[in-house]
PDB file of all heavy atoms in Angstrom:
ATOM      1  N   MET A  46     -27.235-133.480-102.230  1.00  0.00           N
ATOM      2  CA  MET A  46     -26.452-134.511-102.810  1.00  0.00           C
ATOM      3  C   MET A  46     -27.268-135.371-103.773  1.00  0.00           C
ATOM      4  O   MET A  46     -26.821-135.818-104.864  1.00  0.00           O
ATOM      5  CB  MET A  46     -25.835-135.413-101.681  1.00  0.00           C
ATOM      6  CG  MET A  46     -24.783-134.657-100.863  1.00  0.00           C
ATOM      7  SD  MET A  46     -24.191-135.576 -99.424  1.00  0.00           S
ATOM      8  CE  MET A  46     -23.406-137.009-100.276  1.00  0.00           C
ATOM      9  N   LEU A  47     -28.492-135.627-103.369  1.00  0.00           N
ATOM     10  CA  LEU A  47     -29.480-136.375-104.266  1.00  0.00           C
ATOM     11  C   LEU A  47     -29.697-135.561-105.581  1.00  0.00           C
ATOM     12  O   LEU A  47     -29.822-136.139-106.667  1.00  0.00           O
ATOM     13  CB  LEU A  47     -30.808-136.540-103.574  1.00  0.00           C
ATOM     14  CG  LEU A  47     -30.878-137.879-102.755  1.00  0.00           C
ATOM     15  CD1 LEU A  47     -32.128-138.024-102.068  1.00  0.00           C
ATOM     16  CD2 LEU A  47     -30.647-139.125-103.671  1.00  0.00           C
ATOM     17  N   GLY A  48     -29.817-134.231-105.445  1.00  0.00           N
ATOM     18  CA  GLY A  48     -29.953-133.379-106.611  1.00  0.00           C
ATOM     19  C   GLY A  48     -28.757-133.540-107.550  1.00  0.00           C
ATOM     20  O   GLY A  48     -28.903-133.642-108.791  1.00  0.00           O
ATOM     21  N   LEU A  49     -27.527-133.620-107.018  1.00  0.00           N
ATOM     22  CA  LEU A  49     -26.299-133.875-107.826  1.00  0.00           C
ATOM     23  C   LEU A  49     -26.466-135.163-108.602  1.00  0.00           C
ATOM     24  O   LEU A  49     -26.077-135.329-109.701  1.00  0.00           O
ATOM     25  CB  LEU A  49     -25.116-133.790-106.942  1.00  0.00           C
ATOM     26  CG  LEU A  49     -24.583-132.469-106.635  1.00  0.00           C
ATOM     27  CD1 LEU A  49     -23.324-132.533-105.627  1.00  0.00           C
ATOM     28  CD2 LEU A  49     -24.200-131.608-107.757  1.00  0.00           C
ATOM     29  N   LEU A  50     -26.800-136.241-107.742  1.00  0.00           N
ATOM     30  CA  LEU A  50     -26.879-137.565-108.403  1.00  0.00           C
ATOM     31  C   LEU A  50     -27.823-137.583-109.543  1.00  0.00           C
ATOM     32  O   LEU A  50     -27.631-138.215-110.638  1.00  0.00           O
ATOM     33  CB  LEU A  50     -27.210-138.626-107.314  1.00  0.00           C
ATOM     34  CG  LEU A  50     -26.243-138.820-106.191  1.00  0.00           C
ATOM     35  CD1 LEU A  50     -26.790-139.985-105.254  1.00  0.00           C
ATOM     36  CD2 LEU A  50     -24.877-139.217-106.660  1.00  0.00           C
ATOM     37  N   ASN A  51     -28.995-136.959-109.324  1.00  0.00           N
ATOM     38  CA  ASN A  51     -30.082-136.998-110.445  1.00  0.00           C
ATOM     39  C   ASN A  51     -29.649-136.143-111.607  1.00  0.00           C
ATOM     40  O   ASN A  51     -29.898-136.489-112.751  1.00  0.00           O
ATOM     41  CB  ASN A  51     -31.391-136.471-109.844  1.00  0.00           C
ATOM     42  CG  ASN A  51     -32.138-137.591-109.128  1.00  0.00           C
ATOM     43  OD1 ASN A  51     -32.810-138.398-109.701  1.00  0.00           O
ATOM     44  ND2 ASN A  51     -32.005-137.570-107.735  1.00  0.00           N
ATOM     45  N   GLU A  52     -28.962-134.952-111.294  1.00  0.00           N
ATOM     46  CA  GLU A  52     -28.599-134.091-112.463  1.00  0.00           C
ATOM     47  C   GLU A  52     -27.515-134.680-113.267  1.00  0.00           C
ATOM     48  O   GLU A  52     -27.490-134.598-114.541  1.00  0.00           O
ATOM     49  CB  GLU A  52     -28.174-132.747-111.904  1.00  0.00           C
ATOM     50  CG  GLU A  52     -27.839-131.781-112.951  1.00  0.00           C
ATOM     51  CD  GLU A  52     -27.265-130.482-112.460  1.00  0.00           C
ATOM     52  OE1 GLU A  52     -26.899-130.360-111.279  1.00  0.00           O
ATOM     53  OE2 GLU A  52     -27.177-129.537-113.308  1.00  0.00           O
ATOM     54  N   ARG A  53     -26.593-135.384-112.635  1.00  0.00           N
ATOM     55  CA  ARG A  53     -25.457-135.878-113.379  1.00  0.00           C
ATOM     56  C   ARG A  53     -25.490-137.286-113.742  1.00  0.00           C
ATOM     57  O   ARG A  53     -24.625-137.855-114.402  1.00  0.00           O
ATOM     58  CB  ARG A  53     -24.186-135.648-112.535  1.00  0.00           C
ATOM     59  CG  ARG A  53     -24.018-134.105-112.295  1.00  0.00           C
ATOM     60  CD  ARG A  53     -22.744-133.804-111.483  1.00  0.00           C
ATOM     61  NE  ARG A  53     -22.724-132.364-111.194  1.00  0.00           N
ATOM     62  CZ  ARG A  53     -21.695-131.774-110.482  1.00  0.00           C
ATOM     63  NH1 ARG A  53     -20.662-132.550-110.001  1.00  0.00           N
ATOM     64  NH2 ARG A  53     -21.751-130.473-110.221  1.00  0.00           N
ATOM     65  N   GLY A  54     -26.601-137.997-113.330  1.00  0.00           N
ATOM     66  CA  GLY A  54     -26.759-139.403-113.728  1.00  0.00           C
ATOM     67  C   GLY A  54     -25.747-140.285-112.944  1.00  0.00           C
ATOM     68  O   GLY A  54     -25.287-141.236-113.608  1.00  0.00           O
ATOM     69  N   TRP A  55     -25.398-140.041-111.795  1.00  0.00           N
ATOM     70  CA  TRP A  55     -24.438-140.897-111.102  1.00  0.00           C
ATOM     71  C   TRP A  55     -25.246-141.993-110.374  1.00  0.00           C
ATOM     72  O   TRP A  55     -26.040-141.812-109.421  1.00  0.00           O
ATOM     73  CB  TRP A  55     -23.747-140.065-109.990  1.00  0.00           C
ATOM     74  CG  TRP A  55     -22.622-139.111-110.626  1.00  0.00           C
ATOM     75  CD1 TRP A  55     -22.169-139.247-111.843  1.00  0.00           C
ATOM     76  CD2 TRP A  55     -22.128-138.023-109.868  1.00  0.00           C
ATOM     77  NE1 TRP A  55     -21.219-138.150-111.936  1.00  0.00           N
ATOM     78  CE2 TRP A  55     -21.230-137.415-110.820  1.00  0.00           C
ATOM     79  CE3 TRP A  55     -22.304-137.425-108.635  1.00  0.00           C
ATOM     80  CZ2 TRP A  55     -20.457-136.332-110.492  1.00  0.00           C
ATOM     81  CZ3 TRP A  55     -21.596-136.302-108.431  1.00  0.00           C
ATOM     82  CH2 TRP A  55     -20.649-135.721-109.272  1.00  0.00           C
ATOM     83  N   GLY A  56     -25.094-143.238-110.917  1.00  0.00           N
ATOM     84  CA  GLY A  56     -25.788-144.397-110.328  1.00  0.00           C
ATOM     85  C   GLY A  56     -27.261-144.409-110.584  1.00  0.00           C
ATOM     86  O   GLY A  56     -27.950-145.309-110.073  1.00  0.00           O
ATOM     87  N   MET A  57     -27.794-143.601-111.561  1.00  0.00           N
ATOM     88  CA  MET A  57     -29.165-143.585-111.894  1.00  0.00           C
ATOM     89  C   MET A  57     -29.305-142.741-113.165  1.00  0.00           C
ATOM     90  O   MET A  57     -28.422-142.046-113.617  1.00  0.00           O
ATOM     91  CB  MET A  57     -29.985-142.867-110.728  1.00  0.00           C
ATOM     92  CG  MET A  57     -29.538-141.480-110.440  1.00  0.00           C
ATOM     93  SD  MET A  57     -30.423-140.731-109.029  1.00  0.00           S
ATOM     94  CE  MET A  57     -29.794-141.749-107.688  1.00  0.00           C
ATOM     95  N   PRO A  58     -30.446-142.946-113.897  1.00  0.00           N
ATOM     96  CA  PRO A  58     -30.663-142.153-115.078  1.00  0.00           C
ATOM     97  C   PRO A  58     -30.709-140.673-114.837  1.00  0.00           C
ATOM     98  O   PRO A  58     -31.168-140.242-113.684  1.00  0.00           O
ATOM     99  CB  PRO A  58     -31.995-142.665-115.645  1.00  0.00           C
ATOM    100  CG  PRO A  58     -32.202-143.969-114.985  1.00  0.00           C
ATOM    101  CD  PRO A  58     -31.572-143.887-113.654  1.00  0.00           C
ATOM    102  N   VAL A  59     -30.221-139.803-115.733  1.00  0.00           N
ATOM    103  CA  VAL A  59     -30.302-138.401-115.511  1.00  0.00           C
ATOM    104  C   VAL A  59     -31.812-138.011-115.494  1.00  0.00           C
ATOM    105  O   VAL A  59     -32.605-138.384-116.300  1.00  0.00           O
ATOM    106  CB  VAL A  59     -29.699-137.646-116.731  1.00  0.00           C
ATOM    107  CG1 VAL A  59     -29.904-136.189-116.689  1.00  0.00           C
ATOM    108  CG2 VAL A  59     -28.106-137.952-116.767  1.00  0.00           C
ATOM    109  N   ASP A  60     -32.078-137.197-114.472  1.00  0.00           N
ATOM    110  CA  ASP A  60     -33.522-136.789-114.191  1.00  0.00           C
ATOM    111  C   ASP A  60     -33.438-135.345-113.745  1.00  0.00           C
ATOM    112  O   ASP A  60     -33.378-135.048-112.564  1.00  0.00           O
ATOM    113  CB  ASP A  60     -34.199-137.623-113.224  1.00  0.00           C
ATOM    114  CG  ASP A  60     -35.691-137.418-113.165  1.00  0.00           C
ATOM    115  OD1 ASP A  60     -36.090-136.275-113.490  1.00  0.00           O
ATOM    116  OD2 ASP A  60     -36.471-138.322-112.675  1.00  0.00           O
ATOM    117  N   SER A  61     -33.521-134.378-114.703  1.00  0.00           N
ATOM    118  CA  SER A  61     -33.405-132.972-114.352  1.00  0.00           C
ATOM    119  C   SER A  61     -34.527-132.453-113.522  1.00  0.00           C
ATOM    120  O   SER A  61     -34.418-131.702-112.560  1.00  0.00           O
ATOM    121  CB  SER A  61     -33.269-132.074-115.611  1.00  0.00           C
ATOM    122  OG  SER A  61     -32.127-132.500-116.350  1.00  0.00           O
ATOM    123  N   ALA A  62     -35.739-133.064-113.777  1.00  0.00           N
ATOM    124  CA  ALA A  62     -36.895-132.644-112.971  1.00  0.00           C
ATOM    125  C   ALA A  62     -36.722-133.045-111.525  1.00  0.00           C
ATOM    126  O   ALA A  62     -37.053-132.286-110.619  1.00  0.00           O
ATOM    127  CB  ALA A  62     -38.245-133.166-113.550  1.00  0.00           C
ATOM    128  N   GLN A  63     -36.377-134.262-111.253  1.00  0.00           N
ATOM    129  CA  GLN A  63     -36.133-134.746-109.894  1.00  0.00           C
ATOM    130  C   GLN A  63     -34.968-133.996-109.291  1.00  0.00           C
ATOM    131  O   GLN A  63     -35.061-133.653-108.053  1.00  0.00           O
ATOM    132  CB  GLN A  63     -35.819-136.213-109.921  1.00  0.00           C
ATOM    133  CG  GLN A  63     -35.919-136.841-108.562  1.00  0.00           C
ATOM    134  CD  GLN A  63     -37.194-136.792-107.896  1.00  0.00           C
ATOM    135  OE1 GLN A  63     -38.156-137.227-108.483  1.00  0.00           O
ATOM    136  NE2 GLN A  63     -37.267-136.364-106.642  1.00  0.00           N
ATOM    137  N   ALA A  64     -33.888-133.627-110.048  1.00  0.00           N
ATOM    138  CA  ALA A  64     -32.839-132.837-109.536  1.00  0.00           C
ATOM    139  C   ALA A  64     -33.248-131.511-109.055  1.00  0.00           C
ATOM    140  O   ALA A  64     -32.903-131.056-108.035  1.00  0.00           O
ATOM    141  CB  ALA A  64     -31.733-132.770-110.526  1.00  0.00           C
ATOM    142  N   GLU A  65     -34.148-130.932-109.907  1.00  0.00           N
ATOM    143  CA  GLU A  65     -34.659-129.578-109.559  1.00  0.00           C
ATOM    144  C   GLU A  65     -35.399-129.605-108.209  1.00  0.00           C
ATOM    145  O   GLU A  65     -35.255-128.775-107.328  1.00  0.00           O
ATOM    146  CB  GLU A  65     -35.542-128.986-110.620  1.00  0.00           C
ATOM    147  CG  GLU A  65     -35.938-127.545-110.381  1.00  0.00           C
ATOM    148  CD  GLU A  65     -37.421-127.300-110.884  1.00  0.00           C
ATOM    149  OE1 GLU A  65     -38.074-128.272-111.240  1.00  0.00           O
ATOM    150  OE2 GLU A  65     -37.721-126.182-110.906  1.00  0.00           O
ATOM    151  N   GLN A  66     -36.238-130.678-107.993  1.00  0.00           N
ATOM    152  CA  GLN A  66     -37.037-130.776-106.798  1.00  0.00           C
ATOM    153  C   GLN A  66     -36.114-130.855-105.583  1.00  0.00           C
ATOM    154  O   GLN A  66     -36.327-130.176-104.538  1.00  0.00           O
ATOM    155  CB  GLN A  66     -37.951-132.030-106.850  1.00  0.00           C
ATOM    156  CG  GLN A  66     -39.039-131.863-107.926  1.00  0.00           C
ATOM    157  CD  GLN A  66     -39.934-133.088-107.900  1.00  0.00           C
ATOM    158  OE1 GLN A  66     -40.222-133.723-106.884  1.00  0.00           O
ATOM    159  NE2 GLN A  66     -40.492-133.457-109.108  1.00  0.00           N
ATOM    160  N   TRP A  67     -35.061-131.722-105.720  1.00  0.00           N
ATOM    161  CA  TRP A  67     -34.127-131.838-104.572  1.00  0.00           C
ATOM    162  C   TRP A  67     -33.395-130.565-104.324  1.00  0.00           C
ATOM    163  O   TRP A  67     -33.149-130.136-103.167  1.00  0.00           O
ATOM    164  CB  TRP A  67     -33.223-133.001-104.733  1.00  0.00           C
ATOM    165  CG  TRP A  67     -33.922-134.388-104.587  1.00  0.00           C
ATOM    166  CD1 TRP A  67     -34.008-135.374-105.464  1.00  0.00           C
ATOM    167  CD2 TRP A  67     -34.548-134.820-103.367  1.00  0.00           C
ATOM    168  NE1 TRP A  67     -34.681-136.383-104.989  1.00  0.00           N
ATOM    169  CE2 TRP A  67     -34.972-136.118-103.689  1.00  0.00           C
ATOM    170  CE3 TRP A  67     -34.686-134.369-102.144  1.00  0.00           C
ATOM    171  CZ2 TRP A  67     -35.683-136.886-102.738  1.00  0.00           C
ATOM    172  CZ3 TRP A  67     -35.384-135.136-101.171  1.00  0.00           C
ATOM    173  CH2 TRP A  67     -35.885-136.428-101.481  1.00  0.00           C
ATOM    174  N   TYR A  68     -32.929-129.912-105.337  1.00  0.00           N
ATOM    175  CA  TYR A  68     -32.146-128.656-105.198  1.00  0.00           C
ATOM    176  C   TYR A  68     -33.149-127.677-104.509  1.00  0.00           C
ATOM    177  O   TYR A  68     -32.648-126.773-103.684  1.00  0.00           O
ATOM    178  CB  TYR A  68     -31.686-128.120-106.579  1.00  0.00           C
ATOM    179  CG  TYR A  68     -30.511-128.784-107.098  1.00  0.00           C
ATOM    180  CD1 TYR A  68     -30.347-129.068-108.510  1.00  0.00           C
ATOM    181  CD2 TYR A  68     -29.450-129.269-106.272  1.00  0.00           C
ATOM    182  CE1 TYR A  68     -29.240-129.677-109.003  1.00  0.00           C
ATOM    183  CE2 TYR A  68     -28.324-129.875-106.776  1.00  0.00           C
ATOM    184  CZ  TYR A  68     -28.247-130.115-108.188  1.00  0.00           C
ATOM    185  OH  TYR A  68     -27.149-130.686-108.684  1.00  0.00           O
ATOM    186  N   ALA A  69     -34.320-127.579-104.953  1.00  0.00           N
ATOM    187  CA  ALA A  69     -35.248-126.621-104.429  1.00  0.00           C
ATOM    188  C   ALA A  69     -35.467-126.814-102.930  1.00  0.00           C
ATOM    189  O   ALA A  69     -35.427-125.850-102.104  1.00  0.00           O
ATOM    190  CB  ALA A  69     -36.620-126.693-105.103  1.00  0.00           C
ATOM    191  N   ARG A  70     -35.517-127.980-102.454  1.00  0.00           N
ATOM    192  CA  ARG A  70     -35.732-128.271-101.070  1.00  0.00           C
ATOM    193  C   ARG A  70     -34.411-127.938-100.284  1.00  0.00           C
ATOM    194  O   ARG A  70     -34.437-127.264 -99.198  1.00  0.00           O
ATOM    195  CB  ARG A  70     -36.111-129.747-100.749  1.00  0.00           C
ATOM    196  CG  ARG A  70     -37.468-130.112-101.320  1.00  0.00           C
ATOM    197  CD  ARG A  70     -37.853-131.560-101.174  1.00  0.00           C
ATOM    198  NE  ARG A  70     -37.810-131.976 -99.796  1.00  0.00           N
ATOM    199  CZ  ARG A  70     -38.230-133.248 -99.473  1.00  0.00           C
ATOM    200  NH1 ARG A  70     -38.490-134.137-100.418  1.00  0.00           N
ATOM    201  NH2 ARG A  70     -38.257-133.604 -98.122  1.00  0.00           N
ATOM    202  N   ALA A  71     -33.263-128.294-100.910  1.00  0.00           N
ATOM    203  CA  ALA A  71     -31.970-128.015-100.128  1.00  0.00           C
ATOM    204  C   ALA A  71     -31.741-126.514-100.173  1.00  0.00           C
ATOM    205  O   ALA A  71     -31.271-125.958 -99.218  1.00  0.00           O
ATOM    206  CB  ALA A  71     -30.848-128.708-100.914  1.00  0.00           C
ATOM    207  N   ALA A  72     -32.089-125.843-101.239  1.00  0.00           N
ATOM    208  CA  ALA A  72     -31.884-124.398-101.313  1.00  0.00           C
ATOM    209  C   ALA A  72     -32.704-123.682-100.225  1.00  0.00           C
ATOM    210  O   ALA A  72     -32.260-122.800 -99.485  1.00  0.00           O
ATOM    211  CB  ALA A  72     -32.264-123.885-102.688  1.00  0.00           C
ATOM    212  N   ALA A  73     -33.995-124.081-100.036  1.00  0.00           N
ATOM    213  CA  ALA A  73     -34.842-123.537 -99.012  1.00  0.00           C
ATOM    214  C   ALA A  73     -34.231-123.850 -97.631  1.00  0.00           C
ATOM    215  O   ALA A  73     -34.515-123.114 -96.675  1.00  0.00           O
ATOM    216  CB  ALA A  73     -36.264-124.173 -99.170  1.00  0.00           C
ATOM    217  N   GLY A  74     -33.488-124.876 -97.520  1.00  0.00           N
ATOM    218  CA  GLY A  74     -32.848-125.266 -96.207  1.00  0.00           C
ATOM    219  C   GLY A  74     -31.540-124.541 -95.994  1.00  0.00           C
ATOM    220  O   GLY A  74     -30.877-124.767 -95.018  1.00  0.00           O
ATOM    221  N   GLY A  75     -31.121-123.652 -96.965  1.00  0.00           N
ATOM    222  CA  GLY A  75     -30.032-122.834 -96.722  1.00  0.00           C
ATOM    223  C   GLY A  75     -28.739-123.388 -97.247  1.00  0.00           C
ATOM    224  O   GLY A  75     -27.646-122.809 -96.940  1.00  0.00           O
ATOM    225  N   VAL A  76     -28.694-124.462 -98.096  1.00  0.00           N
ATOM    226  CA  VAL A  76     -27.471-125.036 -98.625  1.00  0.00           C
ATOM    227  C   VAL A  76     -27.006-124.155 -99.764  1.00  0.00           C
ATOM    228  O   VAL A  76     -27.700-124.108-100.770  1.00  0.00           O
ATOM    229  CB  VAL A  76     -27.648-126.480 -99.014  1.00  0.00           C
ATOM    230  CG1 VAL A  76     -26.366-126.986 -99.617  1.00  0.00           C
ATOM    231  CG2 VAL A  76     -28.064-127.322 -97.839  1.00  0.00           C
ATOM    232  N   ARG A  77     -25.848-123.466 -99.511  1.00  0.00           N
ATOM    233  CA  ARG A  77     -25.440-122.507-100.563  1.00  0.00           C
ATOM    234  C   ARG A  77     -25.252-123.134-101.939  1.00  0.00           C
ATOM    235  O   ARG A  77     -25.744-122.580-102.941  1.00  0.00           O
ATOM    236  CB  ARG A  77     -24.096-121.863-100.107  1.00  0.00           C
ATOM    237  CG  ARG A  77     -23.657-120.740-101.029  1.00  0.00           C
ATOM    238  CD  ARG A  77     -22.284-120.235-100.449  1.00  0.00           C
ATOM    239  NE  ARG A  77     -21.213-121.174-100.763  1.00  0.00           N
ATOM    240  CZ  ARG A  77     -19.956-121.080-100.320  1.00  0.00           C
ATOM    241  NH1 ARG A  77     -19.637-120.118 -99.520  1.00  0.00           N
ATOM    242  NH2 ARG A  77     -19.069-122.012-100.691  1.00  0.00           N
ATOM    243  N   PRO A  78     -24.481-124.294-102.110  1.00  0.00           N
ATOM    244  CA  PRO A  78     -24.317-124.763-103.440  1.00  0.00           C
ATOM    245  C   PRO A  78     -25.655-125.159-104.127  1.00  0.00           C
ATOM    246  O   PRO A  78     -25.794-125.084-105.355  1.00  0.00           O
ATOM    247  CB  PRO A  78     -23.437-126.028-103.209  1.00  0.00           C
ATOM    248  CG  PRO A  78     -22.759-125.855-101.928  1.00  0.00           C
ATOM    249  CD  PRO A  78     -23.787-125.030-101.037  1.00  0.00           C
ATOM    250  N   ALA A  79     -26.635-125.637-103.236  1.00  0.00           N
ATOM    251  CA  ALA A  79     -27.942-125.962-103.838  1.00  0.00           C
ATOM    252  C   ALA A  79     -28.655-124.688-104.344  1.00  0.00           C
ATOM    253  O   ALA A  79     -29.321-124.765-105.380  1.00  0.00           O
ATOM    254  CB  ALA A  79     -28.808-126.612-102.738  1.00  0.00           C
TER     255      ALA A  79
END
């Protein structure tokens, strides 16, 4: 969810690098959409 917020700029500036870091952690945790 934090990856989504960072990627789409919801409530914060768009930050693709930060989004990638959160997606990477969530993906390793088995979250399919991540």
Side-chain angles (χ1 to χ4, degrees):
M46 293 173 67
L47 272 177
L49 283 176
L50 295 182
N51 279 278
E52 182 185 12
R53 300 181 184 181
W55 287 340
M57 59 186 66
V59 173
D60 189 337
S61 297
Q63 190 65 47
E65 185 214 13
Q66 292 182 34
W67 286 119
Y68 283 145
R70 292 175 65 177
V76 177
R77 186 185 74 188

